[in-house]
Amino acid sequence: MFSSSRMLGGLRDFAFVLIAAMTVLFFLLRLTGDPALVIAGEAASPAQIEAIRVEYGFDRSLIVQYGQTMLRLLQGDFGKSLTDGSPALGKVLASLPATLFLAAMALSLNLLISLPLGAWLGQKRTGAARRAVRGVLTVMQGFPGFVIALLLINLFAAGLEWLPSIGYGGPATWVLPVISVVSFLAPKLIRVVEANTHAALAADFVRTARSTGASENQILWRHVLPNALLGAVALIGAELAFMLTGLVVIETIFAWPGIGWLLVQSTLNLDFPVVQAVVFVMVVSVFLSNAVTEAVQALLDPRIRSRARAAS
């Protein structure tokens, strides 16, 4: 499906991005504070703090620490958490399912809402109901996800007391986080599906379908929507990548125990190994998400497959 040169180029780019991200992260973390103070506690003496620095290697120069860190990372060793001594990568992987679960639920609901609504909007440009829906979408696009999350908490958790505002214990705790994510992402996808639907309705294959006696509903759902979805695959992939890396604020607001929440807690605790492991997992997740998106596009669009074969 993809040429070997393209795959090698993608892996080379991934390796470059990963090394650059880990390098920048290493030096930024060293500007946040001294983790020895966190490990030792407030009652520790200067001698105890210095002993901890020596034990963890924080007394060495930054260049030496950087070289040792990168060498360990190349060997797949992210070290141990400075807060509880558990393997840093294992701690991150234990939190990853919660993020994947939230992303899967949000992506599924996003598709269930955005595809039919975008197709309905794109079918006709007039009508009071369509104008009202477009107005709501325009307003929603101006709200960041965390603002929507706080509004939902104030209304449904603090005000009406219908739903819990934090936790990961059952279906009731899933509702507000999922709606917060979908409310932020759906307007963009709806707009893209609407534009693609409107463009597809003017295409030659639609006129051919009408000439064969196909109804408008058959044309919309069997012919137009699949083509509109093809044009929206790139955005869906981008939204998936965002959900795997950009739910830090949402997870923190709802105390959702995913990698975003873990990243915030580890940063506050100056737990350098865990922060590095979280960023590594995020970079890998984005790479895999982009690779899957390209594969799906090539599978759905024969033109991409033809270009790939020609390049090989």
Side-chain angles (χ1 to χ4, degrees):
M1 187 174 296
F2 296 108
S3 64
S4 58
S5 60
R6 186 173 181 181
M7 292 179 62
L8 290 174
L11 290 174
R12 183 174 59 250
D13 293 342
F14 166 69
F16 174 78
V17 170
L18 182 61
I19 293 173
M22 302 308 293
T23 298
V24 172
L25 177 65
F26 173 87
F27 289 102
L28 285 179
L29 285 175
R30 269 61 186 178
L31 297 176
T32 59
D34 186 354
L37 299 176
V38 178
I39 298 172
E42 297 180 356
S45 66
Q48 290 174 318
I49 295 174
E50 184 60 29
I52 290 175
R53 290 196 184 102
V54 173
E55 178 183 354
Y56 286 91
F58 297 136
D59 61 320
R60 299 166 187 167
S61 68
L62 280 180
I63 298 301
V64 173
Q65 291 185 52
Y66 170 74
Q68 293 174 333
T69 299
M70 296 304 292
L71 181 60
R72 287 196 298 268
L73 292 181
L74 290 174
Q75 297 171 344
D77 180 11
F78 288 84
K80 295 183 177 180
S81 169
L82 302 181
T83 57
D84 58 17
S86 62
L89 185 58
K91 196 170 183 177
V92 176
L93 294 179
S95 299
L96 183 59
T99 295
L100 294 177
F101 183 65
L102 177 58
M105 289 193 298
L107 180 62
S108 300
L109 183 59
N110 189 14
L111 293 176
L112 287 174
I113 294 173
S114 300
L115 296 183
L117 185 56
W120 176 73
L121 288 173
Q123 190 178 19
K124 293 181 181 179
R125 290 292 184 175
T126 58
R130 284 177 167 81
R131 287 195 296 270
V133 172
R134 290 190 185 96
V136 172
L137 293 176
T138 301
V139 173
M140 290 176 62
Q141 280 186 291
F143 281 89
F146 72 89
V147 173
I148 297 174
L150 294 176
L151 290 175
L152 291 174
I153 289 175
N154 285 331
L155 178 59
F156 294 104
L160 299 175
E161 298 183 354
W162 288 354
L163 295 167
S165 61
I166 60 174
Y168 178 52
T173 64
W174 307 341
V175 176
L176 294 184
V178 171
I179 293 177
S180 299
V181 177
V182 173
S183 299
F184 175 68
L185 296 179
K188 302 178 181 63
L189 184 56
I190 292 171
R191 291 293 197 187
V192 170
V193 174
E194 176 190 0
N196 291 344
T197 299
H198 183 70
L201 284 170
D204 292 338
F205 69 86
V206 171
R207 288 192 289 271
T208 302
R210 285 197 180 106
S211 67
T212 61
S215 67
E216 290 300 316
N217 282 334
Q218 289 176 327
I219 291 172
L220 177 64
W221 301 111
R222 293 184 182 179
H223 303 286
V224 172
L225 187 56
N227 282 274
L229 178 59
L230 176 61
V233 168
L235 177 59
I236 294 171
E239 290 188 342
L240 177 60
F242 167 79
M243 286 187 286
L244 294 176
T245 61
L247 296 181
V248 175
V249 177
I250 296 297
E251 289 187 355
T252 302
I253 290 175
F254 291 103
W256 189 272
I259 59 175
W261 180 85
L262 180 62
L263 176 63
V264 172
Q265 300 303 313
S266 301
T267 302
L268 293 175
N269 293 327
L270 301 181
D271 196 342
F272 294 170
V274 175
V275 174
Q276 291 172 163
V278 169
V279 173
F280 171 80
V281 170
M282 285 183 170
V283 173
V284 172
S285 298
V286 171
F287 173 76
L288 293 177
S289 175
N290 291 338
V292 170
T293 300
E294 289 190 10
V296 171
Q297 286 180 307
L299 182 64
L300 296 177
D301 193 341
R303 293 170 298 180
I304 297 178
R305 292 198 301 269
S306 298
R307 288 196 295 266
R309 284 193 295 267
S312 61

